[in-house]
Amino acid sequence: MLIVLKLLGSIALLIYGMKVMSEALQKMAGPQLRHLLGAMTTNRFSGVATGALVTVAVQSSAATTVMTVSFVNAALLTLSQAISVIMGANIGTTMSAWIMSAGFSFNIANLVWPAFLIGIVIIQIGKHRYIGDFLFGLSFLLFALGMLKQTGVEMDLASKPEVVNFFSSFDSSSYWTILLFLLIGTVLTCIAQSSAALMAITMVLCSTGAITIFQGIALVMGENIGTTLTANLAALSANTQARRAAMAHLLFNVFGVVWVLILFYPFVRTVCRIVGIDPSSDSVDPARLTFALAAFHTGFNVINTALLIGFIPQMEKLVCRIIKPRMSEEEDEFRLQYIRGGIMKTPEISVLQAQKEIVVFGEKMGKMHQMVVELTSAAEDQFSKLFDRIEKFEEQSDKMENEIGRYLGDVGDAHLSDDTKEKIRRMLRQIGELESVGDSFFNMARILRRKKENKIAFTASQDAAVAQMLSLVGNALEQMNRVLSGRRDDYSYSDSETIENSINSLRNTLKQQNIDNLDNRVYGYDNGTVFNDLIGECEKTGDYVMNVVEARLGAARNGIRFRGVQIDTDAKRVTVDREDVLFTKTEYEMLKFFLENPDRVFTREELLGAAWPEGVVVSERTVDVNITHIRKKIGQYASHLITKPGFGYCFQSEI
């Protein structure tokens, strides 16, 4: 019983070590992994190379495959690119087998303790925590391999008649035996969700003489099929292309198993000859047996990839025939398109799924805006239907906020890089503001319903004003959706800010006109109240839209902003086009004073009083020097800081 517990505990440590290593490597690679997958899959050969490199880097074919399925689900990779990456992942995963075979070949215990020590020290220091996590996981992996080797010796299965009789009852020269062990390997890998663990068990059984090399290789073949379950589980609830990518992984491995079964005995003997063992001999070096398993694993996947790499288009057509698109749901039915159950093994990549879902959220708000526009002029028989649709969309916006927020919360529970944590914080703010946009549109619909129920008729100028305001809100939404779906570096605040300023300016103008019209009795009080509420709600929507843009681009919540110049008044920090710029205390105070009072002309004496502490004696020349420094630091926005000869300085909002 103790030996069995040692065996199970060693396997558990092995799986844990591989998991910690894989997660640490993924965090160290961070966004580079995503860029690598996107940039290096321009053709099938580079796709295979990328899949192999990424899998070697993260030491997990499951992570690479799930990552690839996630990318296909998010439309970041095409199906053919995904198939080539998955082929490469199958080659890259063979590195784990070589590491394990090395662990069975020599005493690696001496490497464990230094790795543990260095790893713990680095983790405690905290500066390079991910390297420490990697060494910690590697230590567990090496320790588990040493324990497995020791446990295998203690088990001494070859000297136990019951075990020998059980396994010898299976004739290794029979295809039925090979098929049975292949099935056992498939089932056990499906249950354990770790081909590495089953590979370790297979090596223990072979090295102790419990099973023959033929039976061991049959188990390895089964492990190759069983490991495809991970990707298929990840794709169960994903979109059609993602499910097709997972199916291609299964077909790739099944095809390889089929041709190896046809050439099984000649192929295995060839591998054994390369390693330098005679499979029919009674005395075989156990270390060489583990190398034979690793060599078969590599040869199987390399040859399989070489055979199928020229047929990726045909594989794509085949999986498209096997997996048909689901019947499209109604547009108004609530569903998340990119966030699906199962794709949670690579949290760094899961953030991409959430961002894609936020893009869908923004597009939904665009449709909601269009419905409100239609509602302003809807006929009697269409008004109720449109109102019900807007209400339904508002309920969906609540659900989307909850679902995306819950998903981001689950991702946030994992150990993430600081960059990814910051992204999650910004995304949580985005969905909160988008939900507020939905609430505002529903409020507009209710105001319009009140107008209809009270039989209030707007004047022609009021209708034109509402149409103009809604048009500006629509422009703001379009710009917001461009920012959400594009690269952050390609956009600045200026376009959104210009629209927001136009909305605010029009709101102020219309409110004053409304007061004048009420005073002049152009229309009644009820009419003016409904009109004022509608215009006010439009302006509120513009604020929420701007908040989404700020959250996406990473603006400070408490601060002053002029286009690309942002002052975080909490941290007393200045960014220009999202780049931190170092300002002295005096320069900071002076710039803050200008941005708080745009378009006002200040004398040098006024600037001295605003930027320097009372009692400090400085000359007016010092003001000129600081103005010159500020102009240099704000770059392209320097032209707004102008000199008024004979008066002083002014920061103009428009030039």
Side-chain angles (χ1 to χ4, degrees):
M1 180 58 71
L2 180 61
I3 290 175
V4 170
L5 288 174
K6 273 188 181 180
L7 177 67
L8 295 175
S10 301
I11 293 168
L13 276 179
L14 178 75
I15 295 172
Y16 177 72
M18 293 284 287
K19 181 177 181 291
V20 172
M21 266 181 65
S22 176
E23 288 180 353
L25 286 164
Q26 288 177 61
K27 283 181 277 189
M28 277 193 281
Q32 286 75 19
L33 270 184
R34 303 196 281 271
H35 298 322
L36 186 68
L37 274 176
M40 289 184 62
T41 53
T42 51
N43 60 62
R44 66 190 72 176
F45 298 102
S46 64
V48 169
T50 302
L53 285 171
V54 170
T55 305
V56 169
V58 301
Q59 280 297 295
S60 171
S61 63
T64 305
T65 307
V66 171
M67 194 188 304
T68 305
V69 170
S70 301
F71 275 157
V72 175
N73 192 50
L76 298 173
L77 284 180
T78 65
L79 181 56
S80 59
Q81 288 174 323
I83 293 172
S84 64
V85 171
I86 288 169
M87 287 180 173
N90 276 33
I91 295 174
T93 194
T94 62
M95 178 63 71
S96 300
W98 286 105
I99 292 172
M100 279 185 257
S101 65
F104 279 90
S105 304
F106 58 88
N107 186 9
I108 57 173
N110 296 332
L111 299 174
V112 173
W113 311 117
F116 262 129
L117 176 62
I118 296 169
I120 290 293
V121 169
I122 292 174
I123 290 171
Q124 291 301 316
I125 292 173
K127 189 174 181 181
H128 301 287
R129 181 182 174 85
Y130 301 147
I131 298 174
D133 287 340
F134 168 75
L135 289 173
F136 197 62
L138 179 64
S139 304
F140 272 113
L141 174 66
L142 296 175
F143 185 70
L145 288 174
M147 287 296 295
L148 276 171
K149 181 182 177 184
Q150 182 184 338
T151 306
V153 173
E154 290 177 9
M155 288 170 73
D156 193 18
L157 295 176
S159 66
K160 293 184 171 49
E162 307 85 18
V163 176
V164 172
N165 291 336
F166 174 75
F167 283 111
S168 62
S169 65
F170 300 103
D171 184 4
S172 293
S173 62
S174 167
Y175 264 104
W176 291 111
T177 298
I178 302 305
L179 289 173
L180 176 62
F181 274 77
L182 187 151
L183 179 63
I184 292 170
T186 302
V187 172
L188 290 178
T189 307
C190 288
I191 294 170
Q193 283 278 295
S194 173
S195 59
L198 268 295
M199 176 64 80
I201 292 173
T202 304
M203 287 183 173
V204 169
L205 292 173
C206 277
S207 63
T208 55
I211 60 175
T212 66
I213 187 65
F214 296 104
Q215 293 167 340
I217 284 176
L219 285 174
V220 172
M221 289 163 62
E223 291 156 17
N224 271 272
I225 295 176
T227 194
T228 62
L229 179 71
T230 306
N232 279 277
L233 285 175
L236 275 179
S237 302
N239 63 24
T240 302
Q241 289 295 84
R243 288 184 290 124
R244 286 169 175 169
M247 177 56 68
H249 188 204
L250 175 61
L251 291 179
F252 173 78
N253 282 9
V254 168
F255 174 82
V257 167
V258 169
W259 72 256
V260 168
L261 280 174
I262 295 171
L263 304 170
F264 184 75
Y265 291 102
F267 186 74
V268 173
R269 289 191 182 97
T270 301
V271 171
C272 290
R273 266 198 304 273
I274 293 171
V275 176
I277 63 173
D278 180 6
S280 59
S281 173
D282 292 331
S283 58
V284 180
D285 182 1
R288 287 191 179 275
L289 281 173
T290 60
F291 275 116
L293 289 171
F296 169 81
H297 198 206
T298 301
F300 167 81
N301 284 295
V302 169
I303 295 172
N304 203 27
T305 299
L307 290 173
L308 289 178
I309 195 170
F311 297 95
I312 288 178
Q314 288 75 15
M315 285 184 68
E316 186 176 2
K317 288 178 183 175
L318 178 59
V319 294
C320 287
R321 284 183 184 174
I322 294 172
I323 298 182
K324 303 290 184 185
R326 294 189 179 113
M327 292 181 66
S328 59
E329 298 94 341
E330 290 294 321
E331 176 198 344
D332 290 354
E333 288 303 311
F334 167 72
R335 68 188 187 280
L336 294 177
Q337 294 185 19
Y338 298 105
I339 293 175
R340 302 295 170 123
I343 312 181
M344 286 297 298
K345 291 201 172 181
T346 53
E348 300 277 350
I349 303 304
S350 299
V351 175
L352 285 177
Q353 308 297 99
Q355 187 59 51
K356 282 283 179 180
E357 207 65 68
I358 290 173
V359 172
V360 175
F361 201 164
E363 290 168 353
K364 229 170 190 19
M365 294 303 98
K367 291 176 184 175
M368 206 170 175
H369 166 264
Q370 187 56 41
M371 283 185 262
V372 171
V373 172
E374 292 173 14
L375 195 67
T376 58
S377 58
E380 186 74 27
D381 58 335
Q382 290 297 315
F383 191 95
S384 295
K385 289 180 182 177
L386 264 174
F387 183 88
D388 289 343
R389 283 192 74 199
I390 292 170
E391 185 174 20
K392 193 170 186 180
F393 265 62
E394 193 276 330
E395 291 171 358
Q396 289 178 23
S397 72
D398 292 341
K399 290 179 182 176
M400 289 190 81
E401 182 197 17
N402 290 335
E403 291 297 320
I404 299 171
R406 187 180 299 117
Y407 183 80
L408 287 171
D410 291 340
V411 175
D413 288 338
H415 295 295
L416 302 171
S417 64
D418 292 338
D419 179 54
T420 304
K421 288 177 183 175
E422 177 58 31
K423 283 180 185 174
I424 289 175
R425 281 193 290 270
R426 290 201 306 267
M427 289 161 79
L428 287 169
R429 186 184 173 204
Q430 289 169 46
I431 60 174
E433 298 294 348
L434 281 168
E435 193 274 334
S436 296
V437 171
D439 289 343
S440 272
F441 282 134
F442 185 47
N443 287 339
M444 289 182 209
R446 288 193 291 189
I447 292 168
L448 290 169
R449 185 176 64 176
R450 192 173 90 217
K451 169 180 174 282
K452 181 178 179 304
E453 289 172 348
N454 293 333
K455 298 182 180 178
I456 295 171
F458 281 168
T459 64
S461 63
Q462 283 179 308
D463 283 332
V466 170
Q468 187 181 0
M469 184 62 99
L470 284 172
S471 176
L472 285 173
V473 172
N475 294 342
L477 277 166
E478 287 174 9
Q479 179 61 22
M480 178 198 77
N481 284 328
R482 281 192 285 270
V483 172
L484 286 178
S485 59
R487 294 178 68 251
R488 292 173 58 218
D489 294 340
D490 294 340
Y491 294 95
S492 67
Y493 306 108
S494 56
D495 291 334
S496 295
E497 187 178 46
T498 300
I499 300 170
E500 185 194 26
N501 290 338
S502 299
I503 292 172
N504 292 341
S505 177
L506 182 59
R507 183 272 317 266
N508 294 338
T509 301
L510 294 176
K511 278 196 168 186
Q512 187 57 52
Q513 285 179 3
N514 187 50
I515 292 170
D516 294 341
N517 288 336
L518 286 171
D519 287 343
N520 297 326
R521 301 184 185 279
V522 175
Y523 42 72
Y525 181 78
D526 288 347
N527 185 309
T529 302
V530 170
F531 177 75
N532 193 58
D533 289 348
L534 193 55
I535 295 302
E537 201 61 54
C538 286
E539 190 274 331
K540 249 193 244 181
T541 308
D543 288 342
Y544 294 137
V545 169
M546 191 64 201
N547 290 343
V548 174
V549 173
E550 287 184 351
R552 171 66 174 151
L553 296 180
R557 290 197 186 191
N558 299 316
I560 309 163
R561 189 186 70 249
F562 173 79
R563 298 189 181 173
V565 181
Q566 174 84 29
I567 296 180
D568 183 342
T569 53
D570 289 341
K572 293 193 174 181
R573 187 181 68 177
V574 180
T575 57
V576 179
D577 291 330
R578 295 192 298 281
E579 293 290 330
D580 283 331
V581 179
L582 186 62
F583 276 67
T584 65
K585 183 179 179 182
T586 303
E587 291 164 357
Y588 169 84
E589 292 295 341
M590 196 177 290
L591 178 63
K592 177 171 171 284
F593 187 60
F594 276 125
L595 294 188
E596 286 175 334
N597 303 277
D599 301 315
R600 275 186 59 188
V601 179
F602 295 100
T603 65
R604 289 176 175 82
E605 290 82 359
E606 287 174 318
L607 291 172
L608 284 170
W612 278 268
E614 190 176 349
V616 176
V617 180
V618 288
S619 67
E620 292 184 357
R621 170 70 180 160
T622 307
V623 173
D624 297 336
V625 171
N626 278 275
I627 292 290
T628 302
H629 290 166
I630 292 171
R631 282 176 175 155
K632 286 181 180 177
K633 291 180 179 181
I634 61 176
Q636 61 175 312
Y637 307 102
S639 56
H640 290 268
L641 184 51
I642 63 171
T643 305
K644 293 279 187 178
F647 294 97
Y649 294 100
C650 172
F651 196 95
Q652 287 191 334
S653 56
E654 297 295 336
I655 56 172

